[in-house]
Amino acid sequence: MAQTPSFSDRPRILVVGGGYVGLYVAHKLQKKVKAHGGIVTLVDPLPYMTYQPFLPEVAGGNIEARHAVVSHRMHLTDTELITGKVTGVNHSSRTATVDPADGSEPFELPYRDIVIAAGAITRTFPIEGLAEEGIGMKTIEEAVAVRNGLLERIETGSMMQPGPERDRALTFVVVGGGFAGIEALAEMEDLARAAVKKNPRLERSDIRFVLVEAMGRIMPEVTEEQAKWVVEHLRARGVQVKLNTSLASAKGGRLKLINMPDKSPADEFETDTLVWTAGVQANPVVRNTDFPIDERGRVRANPELRITGDDGPLDGAWAAGDVSAVPDLSGGGVGGFCVPNAQHAVRQAKLLADNIYAERYGVGRVREYKHKNLGAVAGFGQYKGVANIMGFGMRGLPAWLAHRGYHGMAMPMFERKFRVVGNWVLGFVFGRDTTQLMDLQSPRRAFREAAAPPAKKQEAAPSLDKGRSEDTEKAKAK
């Protein structure tokens, strides 16, 4: 184990993870803790927090990717920032093991208080071919890749003759009928519709969208009547909605679907675009700690957001957000716990910061987390959506406005809010941006081709293209 780099030796509040919880806790505590002679340290492998509810709009071309993230350096000016991963925690000795992102040796970092805010990762299943062919909708990079991939497949497909190869290129599949999946699919379909309008070689009927959901209904956060309306709405837009259907194999891009629960064959077809949104799971880093975790891999916490074992709360240990099992005192949570969503994470983070400050510095009092559910909002592309706000159901334009209003307010930091609203205004005036960015996975291709000797340029070019070009070659081989 390497020596600890030159970091502050002041009493440290260590925040593990820079998502919703990490960003808000650090932002709210950094100046207060500094005034008391301490320091807030945030460790995350990324230099920004991603506002995940905007990922579908990034994938749909409504929001610039950089505007859906919040820079740690820009807004956490009094926080000690470490780009890397916490790979283990020994709370009995108050130390965490940090693996720097630059590849240097891991080191031990001491702390006085710790906040486990590592969030969640995509939950997958051992389905043949899924890891090779699928992509999630959990990171900003995935959203950008889905957007560019969709536009590239449409442009490439428009150059093909009708047949299996073209059908494969123009087939887009989303697995998972929760909020993330429905919003992603709807935004992708809207983007495809806009792209096709600008391409005289294609019609909307040439594009195939498929939603695969293992349960008998979608979007459990809204009423059953609203869920049925969403299915009807998607089908009216030409989307094939397959309920009670599961993905059995994705090997080589050939999807095999089965009926649930009897697992009989349902459908089989090929696609170059498979988006997986079938749930999340707590970040597995917590398994490398001495903290108590539940059967779902979440850190056990009490309503005060203290990490809690069989013998009671642990001193100086806190948790919130998707990585934690926090009791839902409102009585509405699945299994008695708060569900993993942005609404809980943001609210818990603000209370957690207050509780740490009250516990450590005696200012205020430690309170329990109890929320009033505001409901749920979802956007399905321009001027379309569904909402259930405090028991009042909406759909269409009013729900779309509620969706944008809520998330515009919930987006952290005022400068980010203005950037996002600016994107929306430009989209309203000029329409959805359907510009495809090329060679993001091989940005040096053009330079290397230009720099190669004339005799070698032709043979060098194929090896430089990665990502989609490989998919195209596989399709041609068929």
Side-chain angles (χ1 to χ4, degrees):
M1 188 68 62
Q3 293 294 318
T4 303
S6 179
F7 294 122
S8 173
D9 58 358
R10 288 177 283 170
R12 173 177 287 110
I13 296 176
L14 175 61
V15 181
V16 180
Y20 300 109
V21 175
L23 175 74
Y24 276 104
V25 168
H27 188 260
K28 195 166 184 179
L29 284 178
Q30 56 182 356
K31 293 186 182 297
K32 296 178 180 179
V33 172
K34 181 180 179 180
H36 286 276
I39 191 168
V40 175
T41 299
L42 185 146
V43 181
D44 193 277
L46 298 173
Y48 50 79
M49 169 264 193
T50 302
Y51 190 71
Q52 293 176 2
F54 281 156
L55 293 182
E57 291 209 51
V58 172
N62 282 324
I63 295 177
E64 160 65 36
R66 290 172 302 137
H67 299 167
V69 301
V70 180
S71 167
H72 292 154
R73 286 283 174 201
M74 182 180 295
H75 296 284
L76 301 180
T77 54
D78 289 301
T79 295
E80 184 179 54
L81 298 172
I82 301 176
T83 304
K85 293 182 179 180
V86 170
T87 57
V89 176
N90 187 340
H91 190 62
S92 60
S93 64
R94 303 289 176 108
T95 58
T97 303
V98 178
D99 189 3
D102 63 6
S104 57
E105 288 294 315
F107 59 88
E108 299 286 352
L109 190 67
Y111 64 82
R112 184 172 66 178
D113 300 277
I114 189 169
V115 176
I116 300 297
I121 63 172
T122 300
R123 180 187 63 183
T124 60
F125 300 101
I127 298 172
E128 186 180 31
L130 177 59
E132 294 77 17
E133 304 295 334
I135 187 171
M137 188 60 70
K138 196 81 171 73
T139 69
I140 197 72
E141 294 82 5
E142 289 174 325
V144 171
V146 167
R147 176 184 181 276
N148 283 314
L150 181 145
L151 293 171
E152 185 276 332
R153 289 290 83 190
I154 288 177
E155 189 66 26
T156 299
S158 73
M159 300 290 290
M160 297 177 178
Q161 293 298 318
E165 185 180 341
R166 186 176 191 248
D167 292 342
R168 175 182 172 124
L170 299 179
T171 296
F172 304 94
V173 181
V174 175
V175 178
F179 261 62
I182 299 298
E183 288 189 304
L185 181 141
E187 288 287 351
M188 289 167 62
E189 194 276 335
D190 243 24
L191 176 63
R193 191 179 293 272
V196 166
K197 283 183 179 179
K198 300 174 183 177
N199 191 324
R201 295 187 294 266
L202 288 177
E203 300 290 340
R204 170 60 184 87
S205 57
D206 297 321
I207 312 295
R208 182 186 185 189
F209 278 90
V210 183
L211 173 70
V212 179
E213 168 54 47
M215 304 299 290
R217 63 161 288 182
I218 61 172
M219 303 178 71
E221 298 88 347
V222 300
T223 66
E224 186 170 355
E225 180 183 354
Q226 287 178 313
K228 290 179 179 179
W229 176 84
V230 173
V231 171
E232 293 172 359
H233 170 78
L234 292 176
R235 286 174 172 162
R237 290 167 62 172
V239 177
Q240 297 178 13
V241 180
K242 297 180 179 291
L243 303 179
N244 294 308
T245 306
S246 182
L247 177 65
S249 174
K251 186 176 181 180
R254 185 166 190 82
L255 306 193
K256 295 181 180 180
L257 306 182
I258 57 175
N259 294 308
M260 298 298 288
D262 62 6
K263 298 185 179 180
S264 60
D267 198 0
E268 190 169 332
F269 56 89
E270 293 188 352
T271 181
D272 288 331
T273 307
L274 172 61
V275 181
W276 179 271
T277 64
V280 297
Q281 61 182 342
N283 194 316
V285 68
V286 297
R287 299 185 182 277
N288 299 324
T289 72
D290 53 357
F291 294 130
I293 59 176
D294 71 358
E295 66 280 357
R296 296 179 59 184
R298 301 171 299 183
V299 178
R300 292 165 54 189
N302 68 10
E304 295 176 348
L305 307 178
R306 302 176 190 263
I307 296 178
T308 305
D310 294 336
D311 298 324
L314 305 181
D315 180 58
W318 308 80
D322 295 357
V323 77
S324 64
V326 177
D328 188 342
L329 299 183
S330 71
V334 178
F337 296 97
C338 297
V339 297
N341 62 27
Q343 190 177 139
H344 280 305
V346 171
R347 291 177 172 186
Q348 289 174 4
K350 294 177 179 179
L351 176 65
L352 177 53
D354 290 340
N355 282 355
I356 292 176
Y357 195 58
E359 174 75 10
R360 183 54 63 190
Y361 300 107
V363 180
R365 63 182 181 87
V366 176
R367 295 176 290 122
E368 293 184 336
Y369 177 70
K370 186 173 183 179
H371 74 289
K372 183 176 182 180
N373 188 10
L374 298 178
V377 292
F380 300 152
Q382 292 282 24
Y383 316 123
K384 301 176 283 287
V386 66
N388 183 12
I389 302 175
M390 301 183 71
F392 181 71
M394 293 185 290
R395 60 194 188 195
L397 179 61
W400 178 78
L401 292 172
H403 169 264
R404 287 208 159 174
Y406 173 77
H407 286 298
M409 291 294 295
M411 179 69 186
M413 311 306 166
F414 281 107
E415 60 97 9
R416 291 288 122 170
K417 296 179 194 291
F418 283 114
R419 292 179 191 271
V420 167
V421 172
N423 289 170
W424 288 339
V425 171
L426 291 174
F428 178 78
V429 175
F430 298 110
R432 187 185 295 264
D433 189 346
T434 59
T435 306
Q436 176 200 352
L437 298 180
M438 303 289 289
D439 286 336
L440 290 181
Q441 295 184 6
S442 53
R444 296 182 63 241
R445 182 183 64 83
F447 177 80
R448 292 180 65 176
E449 286 182 349
K456 295 183 178 181
K457 285 183 179 180
Q458 188 170 2
E459 62 186 52
S463 64
L464 299 174
D465 285 327
K466 298 184 183 295
R468 272 298 173 196
S469 60
E470 296 175 356
D471 295 338
T472 303
E473 292 302 318
K474 287 195 297 183
K476 288 180 179 179
K478 295 179 178 291

